[in-house]
PDB file of all heavy atoms in Angstrom:
ATOM      1  N   THR A   1     -13.910  39.928  12.215  1.00 62.00           N
ATOM      2  CA  THR A   1     -13.444  39.809  10.837  1.00 62.00           C
ATOM      3  C   THR A   1     -11.936  39.582  10.837  1.00 62.00           C
ATOM      4  O   THR A   1     -11.201  40.248  11.545  1.00 62.00           O
ATOM      5  CB  THR A   1     -13.785  41.090  10.047  1.00 62.00           C
ATOM      6  OG1 THR A   1     -15.208  41.181   9.905  1.00 62.00           O
ATOM      7  CG2 THR A   1     -13.144  41.071   8.678  1.00 62.00           C
ATOM      8  N   GLY A   2     -11.503  38.633  10.011  1.00 63.00           N
ATOM      9  CA  GLY A   2     -10.086  38.280   9.981  1.00 63.00           C
ATOM     10  C   GLY A   2      -9.850  36.824  10.289  1.00 63.00           C
ATOM     11  O   GLY A   2      -8.801  36.273   9.984  1.00 63.00           O
ATOM     12  N   GLY A   3     -10.844  36.153  10.926  1.00 75.00           N
ATOM     13  CA  GLY A   3     -10.737  34.719  11.156  1.00 75.00           C
ATOM     14  C   GLY A   3      -9.564  34.329  12.021  1.00 75.00           C
ATOM     15  O   GLY A   3      -9.371  34.856  13.125  1.00 75.00           O
ATOM     16  N   ILE A   4      -8.755  33.393  11.539  1.00 83.00           N
ATOM     17  CA  ILE A   4      -7.652  32.816  12.311  1.00 83.00           C
ATOM     18  C   ILE A   4      -6.686  33.887  12.802  1.00 83.00           C
ATOM     19  O   ILE A   4      -6.115  33.760  13.892  1.00 83.00           O
ATOM     20  CB  ILE A   4      -6.924  31.748  11.464  1.00 83.00           C
ATOM     21  CG1 ILE A   4      -7.798  30.501  11.347  1.00 83.00           C
ATOM     22  CG2 ILE A   4      -5.580  31.387  12.069  1.00 83.00           C
ATOM     23  CD1 ILE A   4      -7.202  29.400  10.523  1.00 83.00           C
ATOM     24  N   VAL A   5      -6.484  34.934  12.032  1.00 82.00           N
ATOM     25  CA  VAL A   5      -5.594  36.008  12.468  1.00 82.00           C
ATOM     26  C   VAL A   5      -6.064  36.588  13.796  1.00 82.00           C
ATOM     27  O   VAL A   5      -5.284  36.736  14.752  1.00 82.00           O
ATOM     28  CB  VAL A   5      -5.532  37.122  11.408  1.00 82.00           C
ATOM     29  CG1 VAL A   5      -4.712  38.303  11.921  1.00 82.00           C
ATOM     30  CG2 VAL A   5      -4.942  36.603  10.114  1.00 82.00           C
ATOM     31  N   ALA A   6      -7.359  36.901  13.867  1.00 83.00           N
ATOM     32  CA  ALA A   6      -7.914  37.467  15.098  1.00 83.00           C
ATOM     33  C   ALA A   6      -7.881  36.447  16.231  1.00 83.00           C
ATOM     34  O   ALA A   6      -7.597  36.792  17.385  1.00 83.00           O
ATOM     35  CB  ALA A   6      -9.345  37.925  14.847  1.00 83.00           C
ATOM     36  N   TYR A   7      -8.161  35.184  15.928  1.00 89.00           N
ATOM     37  CA  TYR A   7      -8.186  34.149  16.974  1.00 89.00           C
ATOM     38  C   TYR A   7      -6.797  33.970  17.598  1.00 89.00           C
ATOM     39  O   TYR A   7      -6.658  33.970  18.823  1.00 89.00           O
ATOM     40  CB  TYR A   7      -8.650  32.811  16.396  1.00 89.00           C
ATOM     41  CG  TYR A   7      -9.914  32.867  15.572  1.00 89.00           C
ATOM     42  CD1 TYR A   7     -10.165  31.912  14.591  1.00 89.00           C
ATOM     43  CD2 TYR A   7     -10.852  33.880  15.742  1.00 89.00           C
ATOM     44  CE1 TYR A   7     -11.314  31.954  13.818  1.00 89.00           C
ATOM     45  CE2 TYR A   7     -12.006  33.932  14.978  1.00 89.00           C
ATOM     46  CZ  TYR A   7     -12.223  32.968  14.014  1.00 89.00           C
ATOM     47  OH  TYR A   7     -13.353  32.998  13.251  1.00 89.00           O
ATOM     48  N   LEU A   8      -5.782  33.801  16.742  1.00 92.00           N
ATOM     49  CA  LEU A   8      -4.442  33.523  17.256  1.00 92.00           C
ATOM     50  C   LEU A   8      -3.852  34.732  17.975  1.00 92.00           C
ATOM     51  O   LEU A   8      -3.097  34.586  18.939  1.00 92.00           O
ATOM     52  CB  LEU A   8      -3.520  33.093  16.106  1.00 92.00           C
ATOM     53  CG  LEU A   8      -3.890  31.775  15.410  1.00 92.00           C
ATOM     54  CD1 LEU A   8      -2.902  31.469  14.305  1.00 92.00           C
ATOM     55  CD2 LEU A   8      -3.944  30.626  16.402  1.00 92.00           C
ATOM     56  N   GLU A   9      -4.213  35.913  17.520  1.00 88.00           N
ATOM     57  CA  GLU A   9      -3.735  37.122  18.198  1.00 88.00           C
ATOM     58  C   GLU A   9      -4.265  37.184  19.625  1.00 88.00           C
ATOM     59  O   GLU A   9      -3.538  37.544  20.555  1.00 88.00           O
ATOM     60  CB  GLU A   9      -4.179  38.353  17.412  1.00 88.00           C
ATOM     61  CG  GLU A   9      -3.687  39.663  18.004  1.00 88.00           C
ATOM     62  CD  GLU A   9      -4.023  40.849  17.123  1.00 88.00           C
ATOM     63  OE1 GLU A   9      -3.704  40.794  15.918  1.00 88.00           O
ATOM     64  OE2 GLU A   9      -4.614  41.817  17.633  1.00 88.00           O
ATOM     65  N   GLU A  10      -5.521  36.833  19.806  1.00 91.00           N
ATOM     66  CA  GLU A  10      -6.124  36.886  21.139  1.00 91.00           C
ATOM     67  C   GLU A  10      -5.703  35.693  21.993  1.00 91.00           C
ATOM     68  O   GLU A  10      -5.517  35.821  23.202  1.00 91.00           O
ATOM     69  CB  GLU A  10      -7.651  36.946  21.030  1.00 91.00           C
ATOM     70  CG  GLU A  10      -8.340  37.176  22.366  1.00 91.00           C
ATOM     71  CD  GLU A  10      -9.735  37.731  22.211  1.00 91.00           C
ATOM     72  OE1 GLU A  10      -9.982  38.472  21.232  1.00 91.00           O
ATOM     73  OE2 GLU A  10     -10.574  37.431  23.060  1.00 91.00           O
ATOM     74  N   ILE A  11      -5.558  34.508  21.384  1.00 93.00           N
ATOM     75  CA  ILE A  11      -5.188  33.313  22.146  1.00 93.00           C
ATOM     76  C   ILE A  11      -3.734  33.372  22.586  1.00 93.00           C
ATOM     77  O   ILE A  11      -3.407  33.060  23.740  1.00 93.00           O
ATOM     78  CB  ILE A  11      -5.418  32.039  21.301  1.00 93.00           C
ATOM     79  CG1 ILE A  11      -6.905  31.846  21.022  1.00 93.00           C
ATOM     80  CG2 ILE A  11      -4.868  30.803  22.025  1.00 93.00           C
ATOM     81  CD1 ILE A  11      -7.198  30.770  19.983  1.00 93.00           C
ATOM     82  N   TYR A  12      -2.844  33.769  21.674  1.00 94.00           N
ATOM     83  CA  TYR A  12      -1.411  33.735  21.948  1.00 94.00           C
ATOM     84  C   TYR A  12      -0.860  35.148  22.121  1.00 94.00           C
ATOM     85  O   TYR A  12      -0.708  35.636  23.228  1.00 94.00           O
ATOM     86  CB  TYR A  12      -0.675  32.983  20.842  1.00 94.00           C
ATOM     87  CG  TYR A  12      -1.135  31.546  20.694  1.00 94.00           C
ATOM     88  CD1 TYR A  12      -2.001  31.174  19.663  1.00 94.00           C
ATOM     89  CD2 TYR A  12      -0.724  30.555  21.579  1.00 94.00           C
ATOM     90  CE1 TYR A  12      -2.431  29.860  19.526  1.00 94.00           C
ATOM     91  CE2 TYR A  12      -1.145  29.237  21.448  1.00 94.00           C
ATOM     92  CZ  TYR A  12      -2.004  28.894  20.420  1.00 94.00           C
ATOM     93  OH  TYR A  12      -2.433  27.607  20.285  1.00 94.00           O
ATOM     94  N   ASN A  13      -0.526  35.793  21.011  1.00 91.00           N
ATOM     95  CA  ASN A  13      -0.004  37.154  21.060  1.00 91.00           C
ATOM     96  C   ASN A  13      -0.096  37.767  19.662  1.00 91.00           C
ATOM     97  O   ASN A  13      -0.345  37.057  18.679  1.00 91.00           O
ATOM     98  CB  ASN A  13       1.441  37.170  21.570  1.00 91.00           C
ATOM     99  CG  ASN A  13       2.355  36.274  20.744  1.00 91.00           C
ATOM    100  OD1 ASN A  13       2.490  36.457  19.533  1.00 91.00           O
ATOM    101  ND2 ASN A  13       2.975  35.285  21.385  1.00 91.00           N
ATOM    102  N   PRO A  14       0.090  39.075  19.545  1.00 89.00           N
ATOM    103  CA  PRO A  14      -0.041  39.729  18.235  1.00 89.00           C
ATOM    104  C   PRO A  14       0.915  39.195  17.179  1.00 89.00           C
ATOM    105  O   PRO A  14       0.582  39.194  15.994  1.00 89.00           O
ATOM    106  CB  PRO A  14       0.251  41.198  18.564  1.00 89.00           C
ATOM    107  CG  PRO A  14      -0.135  41.353  19.995  1.00 89.00           C
ATOM    108  CD  PRO A  14       0.242  40.047  20.643  1.00 89.00           C
ATOM    109  N   LEU A  15       2.111  38.750  17.591  1.00 93.00           N
ATOM    110  CA  LEU A  15       3.076  38.245  16.616  1.00 93.00           C
ATOM    111  C   LEU A  15       2.546  37.005  15.913  1.00 93.00           C
ATOM    112  O   LEU A  15       2.627  36.895  14.675  1.00 93.00           O
ATOM    113  CB  LEU A  15       4.407  37.932  17.299  1.00 93.00           C
ATOM    114  CG  LEU A  15       5.467  37.241  16.426  1.00 93.00           C
ATOM    115  CD1 LEU A  15       5.807  38.089  15.217  1.00 93.00           C
ATOM    116  CD2 LEU A  15       6.719  36.927  17.239  1.00 93.00           C
ATOM    117  N   ILE A  16       2.004  36.045  16.667  1.00 93.00           N
ATOM    118  CA  ILE A  16       1.468  34.819  16.067  1.00 93.00           C
ATOM    119  C   ILE A  16       0.320  35.154  15.124  1.00 93.00           C
ATOM    120  O   ILE A  16       0.220  34.607  14.018  1.00 93.00           O
ATOM    121  CB  ILE A  16       0.992  33.838  17.157  1.00 93.00           C
ATOM    122  CG1 ILE A  16       2.154  33.464  18.092  1.00 93.00           C
ATOM    123  CG2 ILE A  16       0.401  32.582  16.525  1.00 93.00           C
ATOM    124  CD1 ILE A  16       3.292  32.758  17.414  1.00 93.00           C
ATOM    125  N   GLY A  17      -0.543  36.079  15.556  1.00 89.00           N
ATOM    126  CA  GLY A  17      -1.645  36.482  14.689  1.00 89.00           C
ATOM    127  C   GLY A  17      -1.148  37.116  13.404  1.00 89.00           C
ATOM    128  O   GLY A  17      -1.660  36.833  12.316  1.00 89.00           O
ATOM    129  N   PHE A  18      -0.127  37.966  13.521  1.00 91.00           N
ATOM    130  CA  PHE A  18       0.436  38.605  12.332  1.00 91.00           C
ATOM    131  C   PHE A  18       1.015  37.576  11.369  1.00 91.00           C
ATOM    132  O   PHE A  18       0.782  37.648  10.156  1.00 91.00           O
ATOM    133  CB  PHE A  18       1.516  39.604  12.727  1.00 91.00           C
ATOM    134  CG  PHE A  18       2.292  40.130  11.549  1.00 91.00           C
ATOM    135  CD1 PHE A  18       1.794  41.160  10.778  1.00 91.00           C
ATOM    136  CD2 PHE A  18       3.519  39.567  11.200  1.00 91.00           C
ATOM    137  CE1 PHE A  18       2.500  41.631   9.674  1.00 91.00           C
ATOM    138  CE2 PHE A  18       4.227  40.041  10.101  1.00 91.00           C
ATOM    139  CZ  PHE A  18       3.718  41.073   9.334  1.00 91.00           C
ATOM    140  N   LEU A  19       1.791  36.616  11.902  1.00 94.00           N
ATOM    141  CA  LEU A  19       2.410  35.614  11.040  1.00 94.00           C
ATOM    142  C   LEU A  19       1.357  34.787  10.307  1.00 94.00           C
ATOM    143  O   LEU A  19       1.525  34.436   9.133  1.00 94.00           O
ATOM    144  CB  LEU A  19       3.333  34.709  11.856  1.00 94.00           C
ATOM    145  CG  LEU A  19       4.619  35.368  12.393  1.00 94.00           C
ATOM    146  CD1 LEU A  19       5.402  34.379  13.241  1.00 94.00           C
ATOM    147  CD2 LEU A  19       5.479  35.902  11.258  1.00 94.00           C
ATOM    148  N   ALA A  20       0.262  34.477  11.012  1.00 91.00           N
ATOM    149  CA  ALA A  20      -0.830  33.744  10.359  1.00 91.00           C
ATOM    150  C   ALA A  20      -1.395  34.568   9.201  1.00 91.00           C
ATOM    151  O   ALA A  20      -1.607  34.055   8.090  1.00 91.00           O
ATOM    152  CB  ALA A  20      -1.924  33.417  11.363  1.00 91.00           C
ATOM    153  N   GLY A  21      -1.636  35.847   9.459  1.00 88.00           N
ATOM    154  CA  GLY A  21      -2.161  36.703   8.404  1.00 88.00           C
ATOM    155  C   GLY A  21      -1.172  36.917   7.278  1.00 88.00           C
ATOM    156  O   GLY A  21      -1.538  36.924   6.102  1.00 88.00           O
ATOM    157  N   TRP A  22       0.089  37.072   7.625  1.00 93.00           N
ATOM    158  CA  TRP A  22       1.158  37.252   6.637  1.00 93.00           C
ATOM    159  C   TRP A  22       1.192  36.072   5.666  1.00 93.00           C
ATOM    160  O   TRP A  22       1.234  36.244   4.451  1.00 93.00           O
ATOM    161  CB  TRP A  22       2.480  37.402   7.372  1.00 93.00           C
ATOM    162  CG  TRP A  22       3.717  37.469   6.524  1.00 93.00           C
ATOM    163  CD1 TRP A  22       4.575  36.446   6.264  1.00 93.00           C
ATOM    164  CD2 TRP A  22       4.245  38.606   5.856  1.00 93.00           C
ATOM    165  NE1 TRP A  22       5.611  36.862   5.480  1.00 93.00           N
ATOM    166  CE2 TRP A  22       5.440  38.205   5.203  1.00 93.00           C
ATOM    167  CE3 TRP A  22       3.837  39.941   5.738  1.00 93.00           C
ATOM    168  CZ2 TRP A  22       6.216  39.080   4.457  1.00 93.00           C
ATOM    169  CZ3 TRP A  22       4.609  40.811   4.982  1.00 93.00           C
ATOM    170  CH2 TRP A  22       5.774  40.384   4.355  1.00 93.00           C
ATOM    171  N   VAL A  23       1.162  34.859   6.214  1.00 93.00           N
ATOM    172  CA  VAL A  23       1.206  33.651   5.388  1.00 93.00           C
ATOM    173  C   VAL A  23      -0.088  33.499   4.592  1.00 93.00           C
ATOM    174  O   VAL A  23      -0.068  33.108   3.417  1.00 93.00           O
ATOM    175  CB  VAL A  23       1.456  32.402   6.269  1.00 93.00           C
ATOM    176  CG1 VAL A  23       1.264  31.126   5.468  1.00 93.00           C
ATOM    177  CG2 VAL A  23       2.859  32.444   6.851  1.00 93.00           C
ATOM    178  N   GLN A  24      -1.217  33.818   5.202  1.00 90.00           N
ATOM    179  CA  GLN A  24      -2.479  33.696   4.479  1.00 90.00           C
ATOM    180  C   GLN A  24      -2.556  34.665   3.313  1.00 90.00           C
ATOM    181  O   GLN A  24      -3.000  34.302   2.225  1.00 90.00           O
ATOM    182  CB  GLN A  24      -3.650  33.917   5.434  1.00 90.00           C
ATOM    183  CG  GLN A  24      -3.915  32.757   6.372  1.00 90.00           C
ATOM    184  CD  GLN A  24      -5.213  32.915   7.131  1.00 90.00           C
ATOM    185  OE1 GLN A  24      -5.630  34.031   7.452  1.00 90.00           O
ATOM    186  NE2 GLN A  24      -5.861  31.820   7.432  1.00 90.00           N
ATOM    187  N   VAL A  25      -2.151  35.910   3.558  1.00 91.00           N
ATOM    188  CA  VAL A  25      -2.243  36.934   2.511  1.00 91.00           C
ATOM    189  C   VAL A  25      -1.257  36.673   1.378  1.00 91.00           C
ATOM    190  O   VAL A  25      -1.586  36.869   0.198  1.00 91.00           O
ATOM    191  CB  VAL A  25      -2.021  38.337   3.111  1.00 91.00           C
ATOM    192  CG1 VAL A  25      -1.904  39.394   2.006  1.00 91.00           C
ATOM    193  CG2 VAL A  25      -3.161  38.691   4.052  1.00 91.00           C
ATOM    194  N   LEU A  26      -0.047  36.209   1.706  1.00 93.00           N
ATOM    195  CA  LEU A  26       0.983  36.020   0.683  1.00 93.00           C
ATOM    196  C   LEU A  26       0.992  34.631   0.055  1.00 93.00           C
ATOM    197  O   LEU A  26       1.417  34.478  -1.092  1.00 93.00           O
ATOM    198  CB  LEU A  26       2.371  36.296   1.274  1.00 93.00           C
ATOM    199  CG  LEU A  26       2.653  37.729   1.734  1.00 93.00           C
ATOM    200  CD1 LEU A  26       4.091  37.854   2.196  1.00 93.00           C
ATOM    201  CD2 LEU A  26       2.358  38.733   0.626  1.00 93.00           C
ATOM    202  N   LEU A  27       0.518  33.611   0.800  1.00 92.00           N
ATOM    203  CA  LEU A  27       0.616  32.242   0.296  1.00 92.00           C
ATOM    204  C   LEU A  27      -0.731  31.548   0.170  1.00 92.00           C
ATOM    205  O   LEU A  27      -1.132  31.151  -0.928  1.00 92.00           O
ATOM    206  CB  LEU A  27       1.528  31.413   1.210  1.00 92.00           C
ATOM    207  CG  LEU A  27       3.019  31.741   1.203  1.00 92.00           C
ATOM    208  CD1 LEU A  27       3.761  30.812   2.160  1.00 92.00           C
ATOM    209  CD2 LEU A  27       3.600  31.610  -0.190  1.00 92.00           C
ATOM    210  N   PHE A  28      -1.414  31.367   1.285  1.00 90.00           N
ATOM    211  CA  PHE A  28      -2.572  30.479   1.284  1.00 90.00           C
ATOM    212  C   PHE A  28      -3.681  30.934   0.336  1.00 90.00           C
ATOM    213  O   PHE A  28      -4.036  30.228  -0.612  1.00 90.00           O
ATOM    214  CB  PHE A  28      -3.138  30.326   2.702  1.00 90.00           C
ATOM    215  CG  PHE A  28      -4.447  29.585   2.732  1.00 90.00           C
ATOM    216  CD1 PHE A  28      -4.505  28.241   2.392  1.00 90.00           C
ATOM    217  CD2 PHE A  28      -5.625  30.230   3.068  1.00 90.00           C
ATOM    218  CE1 PHE A  28      -5.707  27.557   2.387  1.00 90.00           C
ATOM    219  CE2 PHE A  28      -6.828  29.549   3.073  1.00 90.00           C
ATOM    220  CZ  PHE A  28      -6.873  28.213   2.738  1.00 90.00           C
ATOM    221  N   TYR A  29      -4.232  32.118   0.579  1.00 91.00           N
ATOM    222  CA  TYR A  29      -5.351  32.560  -0.255  1.00 91.00           C
ATOM    223  C   TYR A  29      -4.952  32.765  -1.718  1.00 91.00           C
ATOM    224  O   TYR A  29      -5.659  32.281  -2.622  1.00 91.00           O
ATOM    225  CB  TYR A  29      -5.978  33.829   0.327  1.00 91.00           C
ATOM    226  CG  TYR A  29      -6.867  33.557   1.517  1.00 91.00           C
ATOM    227  CD1 TYR A  29      -6.456  33.875   2.798  1.00 91.00           C
ATOM    228  CD2 TYR A  29      -8.117  32.957   1.356  1.00 91.00           C
ATOM    229  CE1 TYR A  29      -7.272  33.615   3.896  1.00 91.00           C
ATOM    230  CE2 TYR A  29      -8.934  32.690   2.441  1.00 91.00           C
ATOM    231  CZ  TYR A  29      -8.506  33.024   3.710  1.00 91.00           C
ATOM    232  OH  TYR A  29      -9.311  32.753   4.786  1.00 91.00           O
ATOM    233  N   PRO A  30      -3.838  33.442  -2.016  1.00 94.00           N
ATOM    234  CA  PRO A  30      -3.455  33.564  -3.430  1.00 94.00           C
ATOM    235  C   PRO A  30      -3.194  32.219  -4.098  1.00 94.00           C
ATOM    236  O   PRO A  30      -3.539  32.034  -5.277  1.00 94.00           O
ATOM    237  CB  PRO A  30      -2.170  34.406  -3.369  1.00 94.00           C
ATOM    238  CG  PRO A  30      -2.286  35.192  -2.109  1.00 94.00           C
ATOM    239  CD  PRO A  30      -2.961  34.268  -1.147  1.00 94.00           C
ATOM    240  N   ALA A  31      -2.592  31.266  -3.353  1.00 91.00           N
ATOM    241  CA  ALA A  31      -2.327  29.951  -3.944  1.00 91.00           C
ATOM    242  C   ALA A  31      -3.622  29.228  -4.269  1.00 91.00           C
ATOM    243  O   ALA A  31      -3.757  28.595  -5.330  1.00 91.00           O
ATOM    244  CB  ALA A  31      -1.466  29.108  -3.006  1.00 91.00           C
ATOM    245  N   MET A  32      -4.592  29.293  -3.365  1.00 88.00           N
ATOM    246  CA  MET A  32      -5.882  28.644  -3.617  1.00 88.00           C
ATOM    247  C   MET A  32      -6.613  29.330  -4.772  1.00 88.00           C
ATOM    248  O   MET A  32      -7.185  28.670  -5.644  1.00 88.00           O
ATOM    249  CB  MET A  32      -6.731  28.667  -2.355  1.00 88.00           C
ATOM    250  CG  MET A  32      -6.225  27.767  -1.241  1.00 88.00           C
ATOM    251  SD  MET A  32      -6.169  26.008  -1.679  1.00 88.00           S
ATOM    252  CE  MET A  32      -7.908  25.647  -1.911  1.00 88.00           C
ATOM    253  N   ILE A  33      -6.623  30.653  -4.765  1.00 91.00           N
ATOM    254  CA  ILE A  33      -7.285  31.405  -5.835  1.00 91.00           C
ATOM    255  C   ILE A  33      -6.676  31.069  -7.192  1.00 91.00           C
ATOM    256  O   ILE A  33      -7.399  30.796  -8.165  1.00 91.00           O
ATOM    257  CB  ILE A  33      -7.175  32.921  -5.555  1.00 91.00           C
ATOM    258  CG1 ILE A  33      -8.027  33.308  -4.339  1.00 91.00           C
ATOM    259  CG2 ILE A  33      -7.602  33.736  -6.786  1.00 91.00           C
ATOM    260  CD1 ILE A  33      -7.700  34.679  -3.773  1.00 91.00           C
ATOM    261  N   SER A  34      -5.352  31.059  -7.258  1.00 93.00           N
ATOM    262  CA  SER A  34      -4.687  30.790  -8.532  1.00 93.00           C
ATOM    263  C   SER A  34      -4.875  29.344  -8.972  1.00 93.00           C
ATOM    264  O   SER A  34      -5.090  29.071 -10.159  1.00 93.00           O
ATOM    265  CB  SER A  34      -3.197  31.109  -8.428  1.00 93.00           C
ATOM    266  OG  SER A  34      -2.582  30.355  -7.401  1.00 93.00           O
ATOM    267  N   ALA A  35      -4.820  28.398  -8.009  1.00 88.00           N
ATOM    268  CA  ALA A  35      -5.007  26.988  -8.355  1.00 88.00           C
ATOM    269  C   ALA A  35      -6.394  26.757  -8.948  1.00 88.00           C
ATOM    270  O   ALA A  35      -6.555  26.039  -9.946  1.00 88.00           O
ATOM    271  CB  ALA A  35      -4.806  26.106  -7.119  1.00 88.00           C
ATOM    272  N   LEU A  36      -7.394  27.374  -8.356  1.00 88.00           N
ATOM    273  CA  LEU A  36      -8.759  27.215  -8.848  1.00 88.00           C
ATOM    274  C   LEU A  36      -8.928  27.871 -10.215  1.00 88.00           C
ATOM    275  O   LEU A  36      -9.605  27.339 -11.096  1.00 88.00           O
ATOM    276  CB  LEU A  36      -9.737  27.804  -7.832  1.00 88.00           C
ATOM    277  CG  LEU A  36      -9.814  27.033  -6.512  1.00 88.00           C
ATOM    278  CD1 LEU A  36     -10.493  27.863  -5.426  1.00 88.00           C
ATOM    279  CD2 LEU A  36     -10.552  25.709  -6.701  1.00 88.00           C
ATOM    280  N   ALA A  37      -8.292  29.021 -10.402  1.00 91.00           N
ATOM    281  CA  ALA A  37      -8.368  29.681 -11.705  1.00 91.00           C
ATOM    282  C   ALA A  37      -7.678  28.843 -12.782  1.00 91.00           C
ATOM    283  O   ALA A  37      -8.146  28.768 -13.927  1.00 91.00           O
ATOM    284  CB  ALA A  37      -7.733  31.070 -11.617  1.00 91.00           C
ATOM    285  N   VAL A  38      -6.568  28.202 -12.421  1.00 89.00           N
ATOM    286  CA  VAL A  38      -5.849  27.336 -13.360  1.00 89.00           C
ATOM    287  C   VAL A  38      -6.721  26.163 -13.789  1.00 89.00           C
ATOM    288  O   VAL A  38      -6.792  25.817 -14.977  1.00 89.00           O
ATOM    289  CB  VAL A  38      -4.527  26.836 -12.729  1.00 89.00           C
ATOM    290  CG1 VAL A  38      -3.935  25.685 -13.544  1.00 89.00           C
ATOM    291  CG2 VAL A  38      -3.522  27.976 -12.635  1.00 89.00           C
ATOM    292  N   VAL A  39      -7.418  25.540 -12.842  1.00 84.00           N
ATOM    293  CA  VAL A  39      -8.307  24.424 -13.167  1.00 84.00           C
ATOM    294  C   VAL A  39      -9.452  24.895 -14.050  1.00 84.00           C
ATOM    295  O   VAL A  39      -9.845  24.216 -15.001  1.00 84.00           O
ATOM    296  CB  VAL A  39      -8.855  23.782 -11.875  1.00 84.00           C
ATOM    297  CG1 VAL A  39      -9.965  22.787 -12.199  1.00 84.00           C
ATOM    298  CG2 VAL A  39      -7.741  23.065 -11.134  1.00 84.00           C
ATOM    299  N   CYS A  40      -9.992  26.069 -13.741  1.00 86.00           N
ATOM    300  CA  CYS A  40     -11.073  26.624 -14.560  1.00 86.00           C
ATOM    301  C   CYS A  40     -10.594  26.819 -16.000  1.00 86.00           C
ATOM    302  O   CYS A  40     -11.310  26.497 -16.952  1.00 86.00           O
ATOM    303  CB  CYS A  40     -11.535  27.954 -13.963  1.00 86.00           C
ATOM    304  SG  CYS A  40     -13.075  28.596 -14.648  1.00 86.00           S
ATOM    305  N   ALA A  41      -9.369  27.303 -16.157  1.00 87.00           N
ATOM    306  CA  ALA A  41      -8.808  27.503 -17.491  1.00 87.00           C
ATOM    307  C   ALA A  41      -8.568  26.180 -18.203  1.00 87.00           C
ATOM    308  O   ALA A  41      -8.748  26.080 -19.423  1.00 87.00           O
ATOM    309  CB  ALA A  41      -7.504  28.296 -17.383  1.00 87.00           C
ATOM    310  N   GLN A  42      -8.155  25.156 -17.450  1.00 80.00           N
ATOM    311  CA  GLN A  42      -7.946  23.833 -18.049  1.00 80.00           C
ATOM    312  C   GLN A  42      -9.242  23.293 -18.636  1.00 80.00           C
ATOM    313  O   GLN A  42      -9.241  22.702 -19.714  1.00 80.00           O
ATOM    314  CB  GLN A  42      -7.397  22.874 -16.996  1.00 80.00           C
ATOM    315  CG  GLN A  42      -5.947  23.132 -16.617  1.00 80.00           C
ATOM    316  CD  GLN A  42      -5.465  22.232 -15.501  1.00 80.00           C
ATOM    317  OE1 GLN A  42      -6.238  21.483 -14.906  1.00 80.00           O
ATOM    318  NE2 GLN A  42      -4.182  22.304 -15.187  1.00 80.00           N
ATOM    319  N   GLN A  43     -10.327  23.489 -17.930  1.00 79.00           N
ATOM    320  CA  GLN A  43     -11.612  23.031 -18.446  1.00 79.00           C
ATOM    321  C   GLN A  43     -12.066  23.884 -19.634  1.00 79.00           C
ATOM    322  O   GLN A  43     -12.617  23.366 -20.598  1.00 79.00           O
ATOM    323  CB  GLN A  43     -12.666  23.083 -17.334  1.00 79.00           C
ATOM    324  CG  GLN A  43     -12.395  22.125 -16.190  1.00 79.00           C
ATOM    325  CD  GLN A  43     -12.275  20.681 -16.654  1.00 79.00           C
ATOM    326  OE1 GLN A  43     -13.131  20.155 -17.346  1.00 79.00           O
ATOM    327  NE2 GLN A  43     -11.178  20.041 -16.283  1.00 79.00           N
TER     328      GLN A  43
END
C-alpha cells in the first residue's frame, strides 16, 4: 500500500520515496480531486 512511494523507497532510498509521497499528498492527488470537483460543479 502506498504505490509509487513504496516502489521508489525500495528501488532508490527512503528520501526519494518520501519526496514522491510529499508531492503526491500535497499536489498531485489534491489537484486532481479539486479539478474533477470543479468540472462536476461546472456541469
Side-chain angles (χ1 to χ4, degrees):
T1 293
I4 287 179
V5 174
Y7 311 155
L8 296 180
E9 182 174 308
E10 187 159 329
I11 294 169
Y12 300 102
N13 56 58
L15 173 59
I16 301 298
F18 171 82
L19 291 177
W22 174 261
V23 170
Q24 286 190 327
V25 171
L26 295 184
L27 290 180
F28 172 67
Y29 283 106
M32 290 299 295
I33 291 165
S34 58
L36 292 164
V38 167
V39 170
C40 192
Q42 287 176 353
Q43 295 303 308

